[in-house]
Amino acid sequence: MEPAYDLMARLLTEHFGIPEEEITPDATFEQLEVDSLARVELITMLEDRLHVTLPEEHGDATVGEAAAYLDGLVAGRPDRGRAAAPVGDQPVAMAGPAR
Amino acid sequence: MSASDAAVTGIGMVTPAGLGREATWDGLCEGVGFGARDPWLAGLPVDFSCGAHDFDGGALLGKRITWRNDRFIHLAMVAAREAVADAALDTDTWDGPRVAVVLGCASNGGDRWDVEYRNLAEGRVEAISPTALLRSLPNMVAGEVSTDLQALGPCLTTSTACAAGTTAIGTARDLLRIGACDIAIAGGADCARSTMGSAAFYRMGALSENRQDPAGASRPFDADRDGFVLSEAAAVLVLERPEYARARGARIRGYVSGYGASSDGFHPTRPDPEGAGARRAVLAALADARADVSEVHHVNAHGTSTPLNDRVEAAMLSKVFRTPPPVTSVKGAIGHSLGAAGAVDAACTVMSLERQLVLPTANLDRLGDGMDLDVVTKTPRPHRMEAAISDSFGFGGQNAVLFFRAA
């Protein structure tokens, strides 16, 4: 399976039009101008591709931190073919919109 | 020209005939149809359309601002940018609150709902895009264009079905006339070649079913016409108060001098067989322009290629103009783009007046029975013109007509 970082970088470029050179592990989603709607859309796309469920929590993190969190979720999934609840209590890096 | 006219200072178009104003004009001058088998519509009873197949909104505008919009908005943004550039206006320095946006839209991004309904039917509410509404609400076409251009005055979307683009330009002219703005970005955009649109219009019996010859399927005023061909397009005019345009030294391409609107009050889809509503709209546009019928030297007709509309429109034009001036319908070439159609017609009318050239109606080989019209076909016709009208008729019995004068 494609590593979460590569998948996320690809989606950010192909779907959201963020130039490849701007995407680094240290870049935050805020710096990349991924706004609240884009974050929800990104979460939806990641869930579809990785078969995991992500909470839409507030906060900001780097692309690298988000990828590490996603890799952890995928690795801890009991059945990789089915959706699994998120593990741990750490906040997901891609914050959803304010509600 | 009178003080209440609006000056046309810019034109932008994206149509199946070409990407851009000049490419569209050149394509239309060829006098051929642009209908083709459409992969989007594969498996449907009518699987062809007139598509702007070379158009890629993401490539032209950048995905960073287009990922959340559907195609009809991309079409509008590109046409609007072209129109503003053509008018030599600078969006960085213009007085944004004095710039209005009025765009017509009838069907918007129908395909978005195909995707989202599938998600819903599968119980995947979480898979529904948070941008589903942004992508498809009709008013977003004007909203996004206004944001893109930083046009911060009145921002409206007109929805009078196939008359929407014409209604938008007439409404924009009215906003200029009452002093609500100095500049108006006006036109229409639609991506009508959706799967649901094709299926629904097919069930209504409105579409041509000539699968053997998609390029020849749209045949306005032809004896063998059997319905329209769905299309996609955007056309935008920059309108200005004449004194404003003159003060900034703008090149004026023509004038919107009259606008008339009416309702048939008859039937959801069928035109009044006497053409009374359409006739009233034409006469209202002439009265608004303080013009006599003899001053109309060309008619850019609605001409959808449906048996009924073309017959009623031809009869109406014959009645209003005892000797109808040269008539054309660009829908023979580029099909019916619904909410964009009137704007495309308006843009073509202005260009015809500028170039003293009437565009040909593609696929017209033999006029339908009883049609007493001078419909130009095969090749463009040089013709001396000082004024012309563009008429549009929408489902719901909504009619809109624009009267243009040459610059």
Side-chain angles (χ1 to χ4, degrees):
Chain A
M1 182 176 282
E2 187 177 14
Y5 181 86
D6 294 349
L7 172 61
M8 205 159 15
R10 188 164 57 78
L11 290 175
L12 287 170
T13 301
E14 290 177 2
H15 188 77
F16 297 96
I18 297 170
E20 255 181 76
E21 59 273 18
E22 290 182 27
I23 302 168
T24 65
D26 295 334
T28 66
F29 290 96
E30 193 172 5
Q31 287 167 342
L32 295 176
E33 298 174 38
V34 180
D35 67 12
S36 58
L37 281 170
R39 290 178 196 204
V40 176
E41 179 110 334
L42 178 60
I43 286 171
T44 303
M45 299 175 92
L46 290 168
E47 285 180 333
D48 262 11
R49 285 159 179 76
L50 297 175
H51 306 290
V52 295
T53 303
L54 297 170
E56 293 170 7
E57 295 180 12
H58 300 287
D60 198 16
T62 66
V63 176
E65 287 165 352
Y69 177 71
L70 284 165
D71 281 334
L73 275 185
V74 173
R77 211 173 51 202
D79 176 357
R80 292 187 176 210
R82 289 163 48 192
V87 295
D89 56 2
Q90 63 194 110
V92 70
M94 293 78 62
R99 292 176 192 269
Chain B
M1 198 273 296
S2 79
S4 59
D5 290 352
V8 181
T9 58
I11 297 175
M13 277 198 274
V14 179
T15 74
L19 305 186
R21 175 188 63 253
E22 298 301 329
T24 289
W25 177 265
D26 291 345
L28 292 173
C29 283
E30 290 174 20
V32 298
F34 289 89
R37 204 78 71 202
D38 189 337
W40 285 10
L41 307 179
L44 291 171
V46 174
D47 61 356
F48 58 92
S49 72
C50 289
H53 296 292
D54 296 333
F55 179 81
D56 181 345
L60 291 168
L61 299 160
K63 279 193 176 173
R64 206 158 189 159
I65 62 168
T66 57
W67 70 266
R68 69 180 70 202
N69 312 130
D70 272 3
R71 189 171 167 90
F72 74 112
I73 296 177
H74 301 170
L75 291 163
M77 290 169 80
V78 169
R81 284 187 182 188
E82 185 190 20
V84 168
D86 184 43
L89 285 162
D90 183 351
T91 59
D92 288 333
T93 58
W94 70 11
D95 184 6
R98 294 293 297 163
V99 184
V101 176
V102 189
L103 295 176
C105 182
S107 68
N108 58 64
D111 272 2
R112 167 54 40 184
W113 295 102
D114 290 354
V115 173
E116 304 303 3
Y117 279 131
R118 256 198 310 276
N119 284 329
L120 197 61
E122 292 168 4
R124 290 163 22 96
V125 176
E126 294 76 17
I128 291 174
S129 170
T131 60
L133 284 168
L134 302 186
R135 290 168 190 268
S136 53
L137 287 174
N139 73 300
M140 295 307 291
V141 71
E144 290 287 355
V145 166
S146 122
T147 301
D148 187 49
L149 300 178
Q150 286 296 287
L152 308 176
C155 184
L156 306 171
T157 302
T158 58
S159 183
T160 50
C162 306
T166 307
T167 306
I169 293 168
T171 302
R173 193 288 308 262
D174 288 346
L175 289 174
L176 288 161
R177 180 181 273 186
I178 64 172
C181 54
D182 297 318
I183 302 169
I185 311 301
D190 240 325
C191 179
R193 49 187 271 263
S194 71
T195 48
M196 183 55 81
S198 181
F201 279 117
Y202 164 74
R203 292 288 295 144
M204 190 186 280
L207 297 185
S208 169
E209 297 180 39
N210 187 0
R211 297 183 78 252
Q212 288 68 43
D213 181 20
S218 182
R219 320 179 61 80
F221 303 114
D222 187 89
D224 293 330
R225 69 192 184 280
D226 72 330
F228 61 74
V229 177
L230 285 169
S231 173
E232 62 180 346
V236 173
L237 305 183
V238 174
L239 305 182
E240 300 181 49
R241 289 192 297 107
E243 56 270 37
Y244 184 89
R246 277 196 301 273
R248 74 176 186 89
R251 176 212 42 206
I252 295 175
R253 288 185 175 276
Y255 296 96
V256 181
S257 300
Y259 169 55
S262 72
S263 176
D264 276 3
F266 179 72
H267 188 271
T269 58
R270 281 187 290 132
D272 171 356
E274 301 300 319
R279 189 169 68 247
R280 278 189 286 111
V282 170
L283 295 177
L286 291 173
D288 188 41
R290 294 183 173 81
D292 182 80
V293 290
S294 64
E295 294 176 56
V296 177
H297 299 152
H298 166 47
V299 177
N300 189 307
H302 191 52
T304 57
S305 176
T306 60
L308 197 53
N309 178 84
D310 288 6
R311 188 168 71 234
V312 171
E313 184 175 10
M316 180 276 291
L317 292 173
S318 298
K319 208 166 185 175
V320 172
F321 306 101
R322 284 180 192 160
T323 306
V327 171
T328 197
S329 168
V330 299
K331 292 183 183 71
I334 60 174
H336 194 354
S337 55
L338 308 184
V344 172
D345 292 348
C348 290
T349 306
V350 174
M351 293 177 79
S352 284
L353 286 168
E354 270 190 311
R355 296 163 195 216
Q356 299 286 288
L357 207 57
V358 177
L359 287 166
T361 302
N363 298 320
L364 174 58
D365 296 323
R366 184 167 55 96
L367 270 177
D369 286 345
M371 290 186 183
D372 188 18
L373 291 181
D374 176 15
V375 186
V376 176
T377 184
K378 308 302 177 196
T379 57
R381 182 195 296 176
H383 181 60
R384 192 172 167 77
M385 298 178 273
E386 290 173 14
I389 63 167
S390 174
D391 61 19
S392 301
F393 314 120
F395 281 171
Q398 292 170 290
N399 312 301
V401 178
L402 290 164
F403 181 100
F404 294 95
R405 285 192 200 279

